[in-house]
């Protein structure tokens, strides 16, 4: 039977069930609950904004969006967002979804830490960023009623979530600090490690190999 939380129905399909099982195995309770909240909040905000979203694609995007932070799925050579995006793309293609649909979810995950741009792309891209911005940053909470917020959090609690998600970010990126250049992710490494050295975009331009 389909599950409904805060008026949002989680599709009862093999794709969704397998997504849930995969992420539950790979992620801890905090990251799993966060990913489910991202789906629910993203769908609530999409509905409020009049966006029509494929709920299965939204679910895979939300559930895979932080998979690149987990021990099983992370690499050391690229951004964690790309780890999750590549896993989701392959998963969707293996489950019969089109290349275009899989690419939309790839973009949703790869760009979910890049402000503004996802909101100008397909609804299946925007929905993940809307959910992430709600759950992590608390942006535009007034678009979701207090009743719906309470229902989501009752189903997927967020105890000490601010500290938990920061620790998850750090643990998932500490061994690949170079991948955080040009993103907000370097703020996390700088917060936990006072010896972390940020790359400087201006310095890169000034000192690059082009002669002047």
């Amino acid at each position: 039977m389909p599950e409904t939380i805060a008026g949002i129905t989680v599709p009862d399909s093999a794709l969704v069930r397998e997504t849930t099982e995969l992420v539950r195995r790979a992620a801890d309770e905090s990251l799993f609950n966060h990913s489910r909240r991202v789906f629910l909040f993203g769908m609530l905000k999409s509905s409020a904004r009049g966006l029509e979203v494929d709920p299965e694609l939204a679910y895979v995007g939300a559930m895979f969006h932080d998979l690149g932070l987990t021990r099983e799925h992370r690499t050391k050579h690229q951004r964690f967002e790309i780890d999750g995006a590549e896993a989701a793309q392959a998963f969707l293609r293996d489950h019969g979804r089109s290349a275009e649909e899989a690419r939309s979810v790839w973009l949703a995950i790869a760009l979910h830490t890049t402000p503004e741009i996802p909101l100008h792309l397909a609804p299946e891209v925007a929905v993940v960023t809307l959910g992430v911005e709600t759950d992590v940053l608390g942006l535009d909470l007034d678009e979701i009623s207090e009743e719906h917020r309470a229902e989501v959090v009752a189903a997927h609690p967020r105890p000490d979530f601010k500290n938990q998600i920061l620790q998850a970010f750090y643990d998932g990126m500490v061994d690949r600090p170079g991948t955080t250049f040009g993103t907000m992710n370097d703020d996390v490494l700088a917060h936990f490690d006072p010896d972390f050295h940020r790359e400087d975009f201006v310095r890169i331009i000034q000192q690059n190999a082009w002669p002047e």
Side-chain angles (χ1 to χ4, degrees), residues 13-29:
S13 67
L15 177 66
V16 166
R17 289 192 296 272
E18 289 182 37
T19 298
T20 301
E21 291 168 7
L22 186 153
V23 178
R24 192 177 283 283
R25 286 196 307 268
D28 64 18
E29 194 71 8

Side-chain angles (χ1 to χ4, degrees), residues 9-170:
T9 298
V10 180
D12 184 19
S13 67
L15 177 66
V16 166
R17 289 192 296 272
E18 289 182 37
T19 298
T20 301
E21 291 168 7
L22 186 153
V23 178
R24 192 177 283 283
R25 286 196 307 268
D28 64 18
E29 194 71 8
S30 178
L31 211 57
F32 176 82
N33 281 328
H34 163 57
S35 299
R36 291 270 294 190
R37 292 194 304 270
V38 165
F39 168 72
L40 295 165
F41 287 143
M43 292 297 286
L44 284 165
K45 277 194 173 176
S46 294
S47 177
R49 297 183 183 201
L51 301 178
E52 292 188 14
V53 184
D54 181 315
E56 285 193 328
L57 296 182
Y59 192 79
V60 173
M63 295 303 290
F64 276 71
H65 86 278
D66 276 345
L67 202 63
L69 296 173
T70 67
R71 187 173 302 279
E72 183 179 349
H73 293 276
R74 70 175 181 244
T75 66
K76 292 185 178 180
H77 66 277
Q78 63 187 9
R79 289 173 55 169
F80 84 87
E81 301 96 327
I82 297 176
D83 290 339
E86 289 181 345
Q89 185 175 44
F91 181 82
L92 285 166
R93 295 295 283 145
D94 287 345
H95 285 75
R97 286 295 197 146
S98 71
E100 182 179 0
E101 290 169 328
R103 184 63 175 174
S104 288
V105 175
W106 189 97
L107 287 169
I109 298 170
L111 294 175
H112 82 266
T113 58
T114 303
E116 295 190 49
I117 292 174
L119 304 183
H120 294 272
L121 299 177
E124 287 75 22
V125 179
V127 66
V128 175
T129 288
L130 288 171
V132 170
E133 289 181 345
T134 303
D135 200 45
V136 178
L137 304 178
L139 298 185
D140 300 316
L141 282 175
D142 58 342
E143 289 186 25
I144 300 173
S145 71
E146 289 187 16
E147 178 185 3
H148 281 164
R149 274 182 264 159
E151 285 186 52
V152 171
V153 173
H156 296 289
R158 37 178 296 148
D160 196 34
F161 176 67
K162 294 178 183 180
N163 290 319
Q164 294 277 350
I165 193 62
L166 286 172
Q167 189 66 54
F169 287 148
Y170 179 73

